[in-house]
């Protein structure tokens, strides 16, 4: 737990501009516009009493563009869109998107429960292009707490062409001539997402220029070059690794596949998809997990890897079918090797066009050298660090025994009482809320929980029970009620919800 003392209030660099901006603060400012903050913005649009603004440094919405492989589907049903599970009557549902594009009847006839990744990305972009209060090409550089105004002070730079200044007047320009601005907010929500994770032994190669070691998040950009490469190694046992391996396998020469797929896990295992197993992605389980002691949560998460690191049954079946088809038509085993249970100890270049990986087999305790010409790292993602962005707030953030931020049941950072506003987090609280944190199926519910906690009366009615499984012997709380006092400052007139 942090023992640092909160700093004294800092004077504004431009008092006149600060006064103007502080006179019209937003109720909630979002940093980052990925699916989770886009969900929050969409549901907040249904609560006109809330003034919101969301900022994203990218010029437009894109969801994992490097993995929009033709035919690849998302692993949650289409009902797990940005709003439906909290507000099925919203104008921003996936079905409304289909209606707007005159594809409702074709979708009905197709009888598809799991949609393609490309269509989910198109749905999110459709929403992002219509929803007000979203500011792309805006990079948030710093966040501070203003003790005088009792508001969060957010500094940003507009990166793209001139746009309407959101809730503030540009006060200056940076060294590259970009407009700088400031906005004040009563509350914040961080939705900066995750970033590709590269294992330590492979970082020197991945960081070196012109070395064909890349993360799967960049796969499509390099796909044609990989297809022309003599031998490619895919590392990672999750869905992304399986999709990359399958796409390469389907598009390389028969009998000369030149592929090796390896992973640390003891098997290329299917994702848990039993109906009762899926209840661990329910609000009930999230609340249960949050009530567990910190040591119990830390021990539980690694054991649940098959809930979120497994592979869809359909993908595993497709891989086996393709391998069998190739064995049949080439009258021999295909040139593709699948090896689970291995780790990469070290890696390096041994020639201008060759890479060498030093491997260790966990169960056998054996070691070997593996040569290849390119490596695709399907090694997942890690929470994006926001230390620099939140540097001024760090002394106020309360931490657990492992120095991770403490997060309450409403997905809000536990802060020093000197901070009157709230800082919510999205997809940064797996250590406190469990395996469902990055799951798209809980996006709408979490957004509704956050919005309800901002209001004296809930804007969205949430179910008190969501699973048949009772995860503990004691109840773990109920949804649909405000936990503690409303987060908005007491001097404000309570916001009035517009729906129940």
């Amino acid at each position: 737990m942090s023992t640092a003392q909160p700093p004294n209030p800092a004077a504004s660099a431009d008092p006149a501009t600060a006064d103007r901006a502080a006179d019209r603060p937003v109720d909630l400012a979002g940093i980052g516009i990925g699916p989770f903050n886009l969900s929050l913005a969409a549901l907040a649009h249904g609560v006109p009493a809330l003034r919101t603004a969301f900022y994203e440094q990218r010029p437009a919405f894109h969801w994992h563009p490097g993995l929009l492989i033709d035919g690849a589907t998302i692993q949650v049903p289409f009902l797990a869109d940005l709003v439906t599970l909290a507000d099925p009557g919203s104008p921003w549902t996936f079905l409304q998107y289909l209606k707007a594009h005159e594809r409702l009847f074709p979708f009905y006839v197709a009888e598809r429960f799991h949609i393609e990744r490309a269509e989910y990305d198109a749905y999110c972009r459709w929403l992002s292009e219509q929803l007000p209060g979203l500011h792309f090409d805006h990079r948030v550089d710093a966040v501070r707490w203003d003790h005088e105004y009792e508001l969060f002070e957010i500094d940003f730079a507009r990166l793209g062409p001139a746009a309407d200044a959101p809730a503030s007047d540009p006060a200056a320009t940076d060294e590259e001539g970009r407009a700088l601005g400031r906005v004040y907010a009563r509350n914040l929500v961080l939705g900066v997402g995750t970033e590709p994770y590269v294992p330590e032994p492979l970082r020197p190669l991945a960081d070196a220029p012109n070395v064909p070691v890349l993360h799967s998040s960049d796969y499509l950009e390099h796909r044609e070059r990989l297809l022309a490469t003599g031998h490619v190694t895919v590392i990672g046992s999750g869905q992304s690794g399986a999709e990359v391996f399958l796409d390469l396998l389907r598009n390389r020469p028969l009998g000369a596949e030149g592929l090796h797929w390896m992973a640390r896990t003891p098997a290329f295992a299917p994702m848990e998809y039993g109906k009762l197993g899926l209840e661990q992605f329910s609000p009930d389980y999230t609340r249960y997990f949050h009530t567990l002691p910190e040591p119990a949560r830390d021990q539980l998460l690694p054991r649940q890897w098959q809930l979120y690191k497994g592979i869809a049954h359909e993908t595993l079946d497709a891989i086996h079918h393709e391998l069998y088809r190739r064995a049949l038509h080439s009258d021999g085993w295909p040139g593709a090797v699948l090896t689970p249970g291995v780790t990469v100890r070290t890696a390096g270049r041994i020639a201008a066009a060759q890479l060498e990986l030093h491997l260790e087999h966990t169960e056998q305790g054996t070691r070997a050298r593996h040569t290849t010409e390119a490596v695709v790292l399907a090694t997942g993602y890690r929470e994006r660090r926001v230390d620099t962005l939140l540097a001024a707030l760090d002394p106020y953030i309360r931490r657990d025994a492992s120095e991770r931020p403490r997060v309450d049941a409403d997905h809000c950072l536990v802060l020093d009482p000197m901070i009157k506003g709230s800082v919510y987090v999205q997809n940064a609280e797996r250590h406190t809320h469990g395996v469902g944190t990055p799951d798209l199926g809980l996006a709408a519910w979490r957004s509704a929980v956050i919005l309800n906690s901002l209001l004296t009366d809930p804007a969205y009615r949430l179910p008190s029970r969501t699973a048949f499984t009772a995860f503990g012997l004691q109840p773990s709380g109920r949804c649909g009620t405000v936990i503690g006092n409303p987060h908005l400052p007491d001097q404000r007139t309570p916001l009035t919800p517009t729906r129940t």
Side-chain angles (χ1 to χ4, degrees):
M1 180 179 296
S2 175
T3 58
Q5 293 299 312
N8 293 322
S12 171
D14 186 340
T17 301
D19 287 343
R20 290 196 298 272
D23 285 342
R24 50 181 186 276
V26 296
D27 299 307
L28 180 66
I31 302 175
I33 304 178
F36 295 132
N37 264 0
L38 192 58
S39 165
L40 185 61
L43 288 176
H45 185 250
V47 188
L50 273 177
R51 295 184 65 241
T52 64
F54 292 80
Y55 303 92
E56 168 62 54
Q57 66 179 357
R58 296 176 300 174
F61 182 93
H62 286 291
W63 182 69
H64 296 305
L67 283 170
L68 299 182
I69 300 170
D70 186 32
T73 62
I74 62 174
Q75 294 174 279
V76 293
F78 74 89
L79 290 174
D81 60 20
L82 301 178
V83 294
T84 292
L85 292 178
D87 182 12
S90 167
W92 308 116
T93 65
F94 177 71
L95 293 180
Q96 290 286 358
Y97 158 78
L98 291 176
K99 180 181 178 182
H101 290 79
E102 298 187 353
R103 289 209 304 271
L104 260 178
F105 274 90
F107 184 77
Y108 158 70
V109 172
E111 296 184 339
R112 301 193 64 180
F113 206 46
H114 293 80
I115 63 175
E116 290 194 12
R117 289 174 178 265
E119 187 163 33
Y120 181 81
D121 176 64
Y123 155 65
C124 290
R125 280 189 285 108
W126 166 78
L127 198 160
S128 70
E129 291 165 359
Q130 299 188 75
L131 197 65
L134 305 182
H135 305 282
F136 290 93
D137 264 331
H138 281 65
R139 185 193 66 217
V140 173
D141 295 320
V143 175
R144 294 174 296 276
W145 175 252
D146 190 304
H147 294 264
E148 178 183 357
Y149 294 110
E150 293 193 333
L151 296 168
F152 290 105
E153 187 177 82
I154 305 164
D155 291 339
F156 62 83
R158 285 183 288 172
L159 307 179
D164 293 336
S168 70
D169 297 322
T173 57
D174 64 9
E175 66 278 2
E176 297 182 15
R178 290 176 292 212
L180 304 180
R182 178 173 296 168
V183 66
Y184 284 80
R186 296 184 172 91
N187 303 277
L188 297 177
V189 56
L190 302 180
V192 296
T194 56
E195 58 187 359
Y197 171 72
V198 177
E200 187 65 38
L202 288 153
R203 286 181 190 171
L205 290 177
D207 292 339
N210 302 319
V211 176
V213 176
L214 60 119
H215 194 270
S216 58
S217 58
D218 297 318
Y219 170 67
L220 285 184
E221 180 183 348
H222 300 275
R223 179 176 181 270
E224 294 307 314
R225 186 178 66 167
L226 291 169
L227 288 175
T229 300
H231 190 278
V232 179
T233 298
V234 179
I235 299 177
S237 62
Q239 183 67 21
S240 296
E243 289 173 352
V244 168
F245 178 77
L246 178 60
D247 186 61
L248 290 171
L249 180 63
R250 283 173 168 169
N251 291 281
R252 289 173 71 84
L254 184 69
E257 290 79 9
L259 293 174
H260 197 135
W261 182 22
M262 60 182 65
R264 290 187 306 167
T265 54
F268 295 107
M271 181 171 289
E272 169 59 62
Y273 215 74
K275 300 308 178 186
L276 291 179
L278 288 179
E279 290 195 336
Q280 293 178 81
F281 293 102
S282 68
D284 279 8
Y285 184 79
T286 299
R287 291 192 293 268
Y288 160 76
F289 187 90
H290 188 268
T291 64
L292 295 175
E294 180 184 333
R297 295 197 301 255
D298 289 346
Q299 292 174 11
L300 183 57
L301 276 173
R303 301 201 301 265
Q304 296 176 313
W305 67 271
Q306 219 167 320
L307 287 170
Y308 60 97
K309 289 185 178 179
I311 304 167
H313 287 267
E314 295 82 1
T315 309
L316 289 173
D317 291 348
I319 290 172
H320 191 275
H321 173 77
E322 182 64 21
L323 290 169
Y324 186 85
R325 185 187 71 83
R326 287 172 173 263
L328 174 66
H329 291 290
S330 65
D331 195 27
W333 292 94
V337 180
L338 289 73
T339 311
V342 297
T343 58
V344 178
R345 297 174 49 250
T346 58
R349 299 182 71 169
I350 58 174
Q354 281 197 322
L355 307 169
E356 184 176 81
L357 309 182
H358 295 186
L359 308 177
E360 181 171 4
H361 195 282
T362 307
E363 295 175 352
Q364 288 183 328
T366 54
R367 294 181 177 181
R369 294 181 178 182
H370 170 71
T371 58
T372 187
E373 295 175 36
V375 176
V376 180
L377 299 170
T379 46
Y381 299 80
R382 294 293 185 270
E383 295 169 4
R384 196 180 301 276
R385 296 182 66 88
V386 292
D387 301 28
T388 301
L389 179 64
L390 297 183
L393 296 179
D394 185 72
Y396 304 104
I397 299 174
R398 297 297 173 251
R399 302 183 180 274
D400 63 17
S402 299
E403 286 300 310
R404 298 166 300 195
R406 292 166 53 195
V407 186
D408 71 14
D410 290 336
H411 306 271
C412 180
L413 296 182
V414 178
L415 302 173
D416 186 279
M418 291 181 67
I419 305 296
K420 306 303 180 185
S422 297
V423 179
Y424 298 92
V425 291
Q426 300 229 59
N427 197 12
E429 70 276 28
R430 194 159 64 96
H431 63 290
T432 57
H433 287 70
V435 295
T437 295
D439 191 74
L440 295 174
L442 286 175
W445 172 78
R446 178 169 55 196
S447 295
V449 168
I450 291 172
L451 292 173
N452 284 351
S453 71
L454 287 168
L455 303 163
T456 53
D457 297 308
Y460 293 98
R461 292 186 60 185
L462 296 177
S464 59
R465 184 174 179 181
T466 58
F468 291 109
T469 305
F471 293 104
L473 297 179
Q474 297 179 346
S476 53
R478 297 172 65 89
C479 270
T481 58
V482 177
I483 301 174
N485 295 323
H487 290 301
L488 291 178
D490 294 337
Q491 66 269 22
R492 296 192 69 237
T493 302
L495 298 172
T496 303
T498 59
R499 69 178 74 191
T500 59

